[in-house]
Amino acid sequence: MLARMTTEQPEQQIGVGTPDAFQRLWTPHRMAYIQGENKPTGPGSGDGCPFCTIPSKSDEDGLVVARGERVYAVLNLYPYNGGHLMVVPYRHVADYTELDDAETVELATLTKQAMTALRAASGAHGFNVGLNQGSAAGAGIAAHLHQHIVPRWGGDTNFMPVVGNTKVLPQLLGDTRRMLAEHWPKG
């Protein structure tokens, strides 16, 4: 049953700023990322690098969508949009220029496969694809290279991220992982 529309004002909370006619949508889980949860303690592969530990987990537990010989595709634990994937080399390298030729080819191949799977699974209209090289360029984990594939849809930048500084993700990460794995190109 649909809730009745009322003209009542939302309850105002002290300390949240000037009333702006929008109710607040709290996303406390984002504090884990802001406070550095799952971030390495240093630059080495043994310093708690999540990209080095994910491959030893099951696909479900690690949110791995596809595995190649040299790189793997994994859902971003702190996504910009639903279906936000990363293609990551197994080898702990920080810079794109450190990849060998086979890793470079497989990174490109899995990126293409990720885009194909996202189009088939979610009807993505476009993509932001890129590498943030170094912390100065915005890399959250600069010591281990990872390429982002962020699906985009016409109108996906609506009032929530613009006014509310909040992304609304309509699906649990485990469900997204299963859906993309089912649509991942074979071969």
Side-chain angles (χ1 to χ4, degrees):
M1 175 181 253
L2 293 174
R4 283 184 321 172
M5 298 276 297
T6 67
T7 58
E8 294 176 29
Q9 292 294 319
E11 178 183 336
Q12 297 298 314
Q13 294 180 344
I14 297 172
V16 297
T18 306
D20 56 12
F22 289 103
Q23 292 186 24
R24 303 292 172 182
L25 180 62
W26 300 101
T27 55
H29 63 280
R30 291 288 298 162
M31 284 307 294
Y33 177 76
I34 292 166
Q35 293 173 339
E37 183 176 293
N38 297 323
K39 289 207 177 172
T41 56
S45 61
D47 292 331
C49 175
F51 297 133
C52 289
T53 60
I54 287 170
S56 66
K57 298 179 180 183
S58 70
D59 288 355
E60 292 77 16
D61 289 341
L63 298 174
V64 175
V65 177
R67 296 175 189 258
E69 289 182 37
R70 295 169 178 84
V71 303
Y72 63 96
V74 62
L75 283 175
N76 190 321
L77 194 55
Y78 309 102
Y80 296 125
N81 251 353
H84 178 171
L85 288 167
M86 295 176 293
V87 178
V88 185
Y90 292 112
R91 194 164 61 94
H92 187 85
V93 297
D95 197 84
Y96 186 73
T97 62
E98 296 177 54
L99 293 177
D100 63 32
D101 290 345
E103 289 167 325
T104 302
V105 168
E106 195 170 82
L107 185 118
T109 300
L110 259 70
T111 298
K112 288 171 60 174
Q113 291 174 346
M115 293 169 68
T116 299
L118 284 161
R119 280 191 183 110
S122 66
H125 297 153
F127 299 92
N128 293 118
V129 177
L131 300 162
N132 298 325
Q133 294 284 259
S135 56
I141 299 175
H144 197 133
L145 179 77
H146 51 286
Q147 177 159 273
H148 295 266
I149 298 107
V150 182
R152 302 301 303 267
W153 297 268
D156 70 1
T157 304
N158 58 25
F159 79 93
M160 290 303 289
V162 175
V163 174
N165 290 326
T166 302
K167 283 285 186 182
V168 178
L169 301 174
Q171 191 172 48
L172 296 173
L173 291 174
D175 294 339
T176 303
R177 191 214 66 79
R178 270 189 301 284
M179 180 180 70
L180 291 173
E182 289 170 8
H183 287 87
W184 199 267
K186 305 297 183 237

